Amino acid sequence: PTLLILDNEGNLRHRITGTRSPREFVDLMARGLSDETAYTPVKNKYDAGDRSPRIVTEHLQNLFAAGDLSEVEMRTQAKAYFDSLPDSERLTRDMIYFFKAFAQSPEEPAALYFLQNWKFYYDAGQDLDPNDYLIRLYFPYLRDRLPNVNLQDATLDRYLTLIKRNGMVKSAHTLGFTARIIEAVATDDWKVVEKIYLKEVARMDYKKGQLNLDLLWERLWPATPEKIKPAIRDYLLREQASTLENYIDNYDSLLQKLR
């Protein structure tokens, strides 16, 4: 099926092909109602020579949604566009739209570039939530390295190095904490792990990031020395009492698994 959105003069404004989930359908319809994202307004800007990251991102996504490009073709063109850009054009706020649309694997050059230059993108576009994007991209990989960490793994070493160099550790970022926890576990320094949680993670005001870090205990628990387990249980109970209401069940489930 094909859905066309027309303006009040009958001209094509937006086009969607294929079946969609209700949520996807609502999101695509919303795109068709905005001049910043609708098929024809964006295409007109692109055809007029606008190759800014936001326009290229919206144009490629529209071509895919309309059936004019396959997903492989869309991603191939996106990669070619990224590869063609000098740093002066990559280091712009609008590149956040591009990364979130097309950098979906931690090992993709665009994703690694975003991680490397996190501080710039965070300062330039906090309203676009670059932190949430990077956590969704890199946290699962880092989490799954625990508790049997291999610091000789080249991929893990690359991620940890970028995180330590880009300011995330100093900024008490979720990924910064995760990198420090991984290195402490790898060297069997559980006093450092305990200190990170009780003295630093406990002070986080970003409850979603704190929950992600606290849930690491499900993986850490089998390797955790018995002597620090009571302090960690007490810490998790305190965090459960102060967390957001929709996270309480996550702590309930975690604490049951740690009994």
Side-chain angles (χ1 to χ4, degrees):
T2 298
L3 172 69
L4 304 179
I5 299 178
L6 309 178
D7 63 21
N8 56 10
E9 296 180 353
N11 299 310
L12 176 66
R13 179 175 178 82
H14 199 61
R15 179 157 55 98
I16 306 166
T17 61
T19 57
R20 311 283 177 173
S21 70
R23 179 70 261 176
E24 289 174 323
F25 181 77
V26 170
D27 289 344
L28 289 171
M29 285 291 291
R31 288 179 60 82
L33 299 177
S34 170
D35 284 346
E36 293 186 351
T37 54
Y39 183 99
T40 297
V42 169
K43 184 176 185 299
N44 289 341
K45 294 175 185 176
Y46 185 88
D47 289 346
D50 189 339
R51 294 297 185 273
S52 61
R54 179 74 186 274
I55 291 300
V56 170
T57 299
E58 305 301 348
H59 181 59
L60 291 177
Q61 290 186 110
N62 285 340
L63 292 177
F64 171 64
D68 296 339
L69 288 179
S70 68
E71 183 173 0
V72 171
E73 291 170 330
M74 175 185 67
R75 296 197 175 280
T76 298
Q77 291 192 27
K79 182 180 183 303
Y81 172 74
F82 177 78
D83 291 343
S84 73
L85 294 176
D87 277 347
S88 60
E89 295 182 38
R90 288 179 177 181
L91 290 172
T92 63
R93 180 181 184 277
D94 276 1
M95 278 301 294
I96 299 173
Y97 293 102
F98 178 89
F99 291 130
K100 293 175 77 170
F102 300 120
Q104 299 299 313
S105 167
E107 274 295 278
E108 289 182 32
L112 290 168
Y113 189 88
F114 195 178
L115 180 63
Q116 179 181 352
N117 295 284
W118 162 79
K119 188 65 168 61
F120 169 84
Y121 293 113
Y122 177 73
D123 290 343
Q126 292 186 38
D127 58 310
L128 300 179
D129 208 358
N131 277 341
D132 185 64
Y133 161 76
L134 281 176
I135 290 169
R136 285 188 288 107
L137 199 58
Y138 286 98
F139 184 80
Y141 174 88
L142 297 174
R143 176 198 63 210
D144 292 347
R145 306 283 74 77
L146 293 166
N148 301 311
V149 180
N150 176 15
L151 292 180
Q152 303 305 311
D153 180 273
T155 300
L156 176 61
D157 180 66
R158 178 163 55 252
Y159 296 166
L160 294 180
T161 299
L162 288 174
I163 289 169
K164 288 186 289 185
R165 288 179 179 174
N166 69 8
M168 285 180 164
V169 171
K170 290 182 179 179
S171 300
H173 189 283
T174 300
L175 295 182
F177 280 127
T178 307
R180 292 173 59 203
I181 291 165
I182 284 175
E183 291 187 330
V185 171
T187 57
D188 206 31
D189 196 340
W190 289 92
K191 285 187 177 297
V192 169
V193 176
E194 182 182 16
K195 181 181 177 182
I196 289 172
Y197 274 95
L198 272 58
K199 301 295 185 182
E200 300 178 58
V201 176
R203 297 192 184 118
M204 288 180 73
D205 57 7
Y206 177 44
K207 293 301 183 183
K208 183 176 180 181
Q210 188 173 23
L211 173 64
N212 283 333
L213 292 167
D214 288 345
L215 291 177
L216 291 179
W217 283 106
E218 183 176 351
R219 300 187 66 86
L220 294 173
W221 206 246
T224 303
E226 291 296 326
K227 62 182 179 181
I228 73 167
K229 283 185 176 180
I232 298 303
R233 284 195 190 93
D234 288 344
Y235 157 79
L236 292 171
L237 285 167
R238 290 195 300 272
E239 296 314 311
Q240 180 187 37
S242 64
T243 196
L244 301 177
E245 184 176 354
N246 52 322
Y247 295 157
I248 291 175
D249 287 346
N250 296 96
Y251 281 97
D252 274 339
S253 177
L254 174 63
L255 286 162
Q256 288 176 10
K257 292 174 183 177
L258 303 189
R259 286 177 180 170

